Amino acid sequence: MPIQCRFFRCRLLRGLLIALSSLSLAPGTALAGGESAAAFLAIDVGARALGMGGAYVPLAADETCLFWNPAALSRIDGSYFGATHTEWYQGLQFEWAGGVMPVGERFGAGIAATLLHSAPIAGYDESGQPTGDFTVRDLAVTAGWGVAVTPHISAGANVKGIQQSIAGEDVTAFAGDVSVLADLRGWRFGALARNIGPRISYGADSYPLPFGVMLGVVRSLDENSLLTAAFGSEADGRREARFGAEWTWNRVLSLRTGYRASLDGDDPTAGATAGAGFRRAAWSLDYALTPHRDLGSAHRVSLSLRFGGAR
């Protein structure tokens, strides 16, 4: 098959993946204007976070802080491992797994892997003639660390290695995240800049990473309930607001609700979310129901395991 046909087919598949991302089954997956590479890096993780509308930047406290706020690695109360599997649209499957651990009194570290892959997809050239089946595989490996700069301020960073394989064409890239957490008079503030890095080239074309910025705040009302909110901007300046609440009974059962709103026009993923969690000494099981105006609601389940003693 001529090289230009392979690149044409790659562009067609990139368009498919971006379209599927914009029709995401969970808050936070829609990409900025459909012009970002490595779209899978923008898919939110963790059923607890999704149940609260994705307003999780100031609240992350387990293995998912590698996605939401690596500064929280300095504050985790033990070692955690968690994994999730999602059957996505048009035969795409999304996998995420991560583990984190404290390192001394002021540091924490972790590693996670993100994988988006597909069943065989029929390929065609510019004239519509079949060219055989092909697959897509997007993989990112993230290493993160956090440090308590002061008793009330923490900072963190991630480094990501990215590989995309589309129709036999492999592309590699690197990206990073930076974040902070700060406590002030009973409020916790979080800030995250995600997917910082150079453009990714696909043949003669290149596209930016799905860079985003998120700011959030959380307040505990008492030992059983909290409210959280976050505001973010995607690469094209599209803004969004997220709100969430959680109530916990006897440190065992949690009920959650949230709302995600677009501040710049129509968004099919906007709307109310709901969730619940069941927690035991060493593990927790979380569920979230997230909306999509066109595709209907989606169900997410996450399992998290805790190892060892407290920090």
Side-chain angles (χ1 to χ4, degrees), residues 181-250:
L181 275 179
D183 295 312
L184 179 63
R185 297 182 178 180
W187 298 82
R188 174 169 291 181
F189 299 88
L192 170 69
R194 179 186 293 156
N195 300 320
I196 305 167
R199 297 169 69 92
I200 298 181
S201 296
Y202 300 85
D205 301 320
S206 66
Y207 300 88
L209 291 166
F211 173 79
V213 175
M214 187 73 68
L215 306 174
V217 60
V218 62
R219 173 79 177 190
S220 294
L221 304 181
D222 53 43
E223 64 178 8
N224 299 316
S225 56
L226 59 85
L227 297 175
T228 182
F231 303 88
S233 176
E234 299 290 347
D236 66 347
R238 181 176 56 83
R239 299 168 298 167
E240 61 183 8
R242 307 179 181 194
F243 306 94
E246 180 182 64
W247 175 79
T248 301
W249 173 77
N250 202 29

Side-chain angles (χ1 to χ4, degrees), residues 41-87:
L41 295 177
I43 300 175
D44 290 350
V45 303
R48 185 189 181 205
L50 293 169
M52 290 185 278
Y56 211 59
V57 168
L59 188 55
D62 54 20
E63 71 281 351
T64 62
C65 64
L66 283 165
F67 179 86
W68 293 103
N69 194 328
L73 287 166
S74 67
R75 306 187 184 196
I76 54 175
D77 62 358
S79 299
Y80 289 86
F81 173 81
T84 185
H85 167 77
T86 302
E87 292 287 339

Side-chain angles (χ1 to χ4, degrees), residues 7 16-17 29 36-37 42 57 68 72 90-91 100 109 115 117 129 137 141 146 184 197 205 223 235 243-244 259 290:
F7 284 135
L16 170 64
L17 294 178
T29 325
S36 295
V57 168
W68 293 103
Q90 287 290 326
V100 299
L115 176 65
H117 59 106
Q129 297 301 310
R137 189 194 68 175
V141 176
L184 179 63
D205 301 320
E223 64 178 8
F243 306 94
Y259 192 86
T290 58

Side-chain angles (χ1 to χ4, degrees), residues 98-109:
V100 299
M101 63 181 294
V103 183
E105 292 295 323
R106 298 174 53 237
F107 296 89

